[in-house]
Coordinates of all heavy atoms in Angstrom, one line a residue:
L18 N -22.1 16.1 12.9 CA -23.5 16.5 12.4 C -23.6 16.2 10.9 O -24.6 15.7 10.5 CB -23.7 18.0 12.8 CG -23.9 18.3 14.2 CD1 -24.0 19.8 14.4 CD2 -25.2 17.7 14.7
L19 N -22.5 16.7 10.2 CA -22.6 16.5 8.7 C -22.5 15.0 8.3 O -23.2 14.6 7.4 CB -21.4 17.2 8.0 CG -21.5 18.8 8.2 CD1 -20.4 19.4 7.4 CD2 -22.8 19.3 7.7
G20 N -21.7 14.2 9.1 CA -21.7 12.8 8.8 C -23.0 12.1 9.1 O -23.4 11.2 8.3
V21 N -23.6 12.4 10.1 CA -25.0 11.9 10.4 C -26.0 12.3 9.3 O -26.8 11.4 8.8 CB -25.5 12.3 11.8 CG1 -27.0 12.0 11.9 CG2 -24.7 11.7 12.9
I22 N -26.0 13.5 8.9 CA -26.9 14.0 7.8 C -26.6 13.2 6.5 O -27.5 12.7 5.9 CB -26.7 15.5 7.5 CG1 -27.3 16.3 8.7 CG2 -27.5 15.9 6.3 CD1 -27.0 17.7 8.7
V23 N -25.4 13.1 6.1 CA -25.0 12.4 4.9 C -25.3 10.9 5.0 O -25.8 10.3 4.1 CB -23.5 12.6 4.5 CG1 -23.1 11.8 3.4 CG2 -23.2 14.1 4.2
G24 N -24.9 10.3 6.1 CA -25.2 8.9 6.2 C -26.7 8.6 6.2 O -27.1 7.6 5.7
F25 N -27.5 9.4 6.9 CA -28.9 9.2 7.0 C -29.6 9.3 5.6 O -30.3 8.5 5.1 CB -29.6 10.3 7.9 CG -31.1 10.0 8.0 CD1 -31.6 8.9 8.8 CD2 -31.9 10.9 7.4 CE1 -33.0 8.8 8.9 CE2 -33.3 10.8 7.5 CZ -33.9 9.6 8.3
T26 N -29.1 10.4 4.8 CA -29.7 10.4 3.5 C -29.3 9.2 2.6 O -30.1 8.8 1.7 CB -29.2 11.8 2.8 OG1 -27.8 11.8 2.9 CG2 -29.7 13.0 3.5
G27 N -28.0 8.8 2.8 CA -27.6 7.6 2.0 C -28.5 6.4 2.4 O -28.8 5.6 1.5
I28 N -28.8 6.2 3.6 CA -29.6 5.1 4.0 C -31.0 5.2 3.4 O -31.6 4.2 2.9 CB -29.7 5.0 5.6 CG1 -28.4 4.6 6.1 CG2 -30.8 4.0 6.0 CD1 -28.2 4.8 7.7
V29 N -31.6 6.4 3.5 CA -33.0 6.6 3.0 C -32.9 6.4 1.5 O -33.9 5.7 0.9 CB -33.5 8.1 3.3 CG1 -34.7 8.3 2.5 CG2 -33.7 8.3 4.7
L30 N -32.0 6.9 0.7 CA -31.8 6.6 -0.7 C -31.7 5.2 -1.1 O -32.3 4.6 -2.0 CB -30.7 7.4 -1.3 CG -30.9 9.0 -1.6 CD1 -29.6 9.6 -2.1 CD2 -32.0 9.1 -2.7
T31 N -30.9 4.5 -0.3 CA -30.7 3.1 -0.4 C -32.0 2.3 -0.3 O -32.2 1.4 -1.2 CB -29.7 2.5 0.6 OG1 -28.4 3.2 0.4 CG2 -29.4 1.1 0.3
I32 N -32.7 2.6 0.7 CA -34.0 1.9 0.9 C -35.0 2.2 -0.2 O -35.7 1.3 -0.7 CB -34.6 2.4 2.3 CG1 -33.8 1.8 3.4 CG2 -36.1 1.8 2.5 CD1 -34.1 2.3 4.8
Q33 N -35.0 3.5 -0.6 CA -36.0 3.9 -1.7 C -35.7 3.3 -3.0 O -36.5 2.7 -3.8 CB -35.9 5.4 -1.9 CG -36.6 6.2 -0.8 CD -36.6 7.7 -1.0 OE1 -35.7 8.2 -1.8 NE2 -37.4 8.4 -0.4
M34 N -34.3 3.1 -3.4 CA -33.9 2.6 -4.6 C -34.1 1.0 -4.6 O -34.6 0.5 -5.6 CB -32.4 2.8 -4.8 CG -32.1 4.2 -5.1 SD -32.8 5.0 -6.5 CE -34.1 5.9 -5.7
S35 N -33.8 0.4 -3.5 CA -34.1 -1.1 -3.5 C -35.6 -1.4 -3.5 O -36.1 -2.4 -4.1 CB -33.5 -1.7 -2.3 OG -34.0 -1.1 -1.0
N36 N -36.4 -0.6 -2.9 CA -37.9 -0.7 -2.9 C -38.4 -0.5 -4.3 O -39.3 -1.2 -4.8 CB -38.6 0.2 -2.0 CG -38.4 -0.2 -0.5 OD1 -38.1 -1.4 -0.2 ND2 -38.6 0.7 0.5
A37 N -37.8 0.5 -5.0 CA -38.3 0.8 -6.3 C -38.0 -0.4 -7.2 O -38.7 -0.5 -8.2 CB -37.5 2.0 -6.9
M38 N -36.9 -1.1 -6.9 CA -36.6 -2.3 -7.9 C -37.2 -3.6 -7.3 O -37.1 -4.7 -7.8 CB -35.1 -2.5 -7.9 CG -34.4 -1.2 -8.5 SD -32.7 -1.4 -8.7 CE -32.6 -2.6 -10.0
N39 N -37.9 -3.5 -6.1 CA -38.5 -4.6 -5.4 C -37.4 -5.7 -5.1 O -37.7 -6.9 -5.4 CB -39.6 -5.1 -6.2 CG -40.5 -6.0 -5.4 OD1 -40.6 -6.0 -4.2 ND2 -41.2 -7.0 -6.1
R40 N -36.3 -5.3 -4.7 CA -35.2 -6.2 -4.5 C -34.6 -6.0 -3.1 O -34.4 -4.9 -2.7 CB -34.1 -6.1 -5.6 CG -34.5 -6.2 -7.0 CD -33.4 -6.3 -8.0 NE -32.6 -7.5 -7.8 CZ -31.2 -7.6 -8.0 NH1 -30.6 -6.5 -8.3 NH2 -30.7 -8.8 -7.8
K41 N -34.2 -7.1 -2.5 CA -33.7 -6.9 -1.2 C -32.2 -6.6 -1.3 O -31.5 -7.1 -2.2 CB -33.8 -8.3 -0.4 CG -35.1 -8.6 -0.1 CD -35.4 -9.9 0.8 CE -36.8 -10.2 1.0 NZ -36.8 -11.6 1.8
L42 N -31.7 -5.8 -0.3 CA -30.2 -5.4 -0.5 C -29.3 -6.5 -0.5 O -28.3 -6.5 -1.1 CB -29.9 -4.4 0.8 CG -30.6 -3.1 0.7 CD1 -30.2 -2.3 2.0 CD2 -30.0 -2.3 -0.6
I43 N -29.6 -7.6 0.3 CA -28.7 -8.8 0.4 C -28.6 -9.4 -1.0 O -27.6 -9.9 -1.3 CB -29.2 -9.8 1.5 CG1 -28.1 -10.8 1.7 CG2 -30.5 -10.4 1.0 CD1 -28.4 -11.7 2.9

């Protein structure tokens, strides 16, 4: 449960940060 919560928040933050910089993760 905790792993899913932490992993999901990490994914959301990653998407938000890359969108904020208008850059693709790759």
Side-chain angles (χ1 to χ4, degrees):
L18 288 172
L19 296 184
V21 169
I22 292 172
V23 173
F25 180 74
T26 55
I28 292 171
V29 171
L30 277 176
T31 300
I32 294 172
Q33 287 181 337
M34 293 301 102
S35 58
N36 287 342
M38 300 180 72
N39 196 27
R40 304 187 69 213
K41 296 181 179 179
L42 287 175
I43 193 171

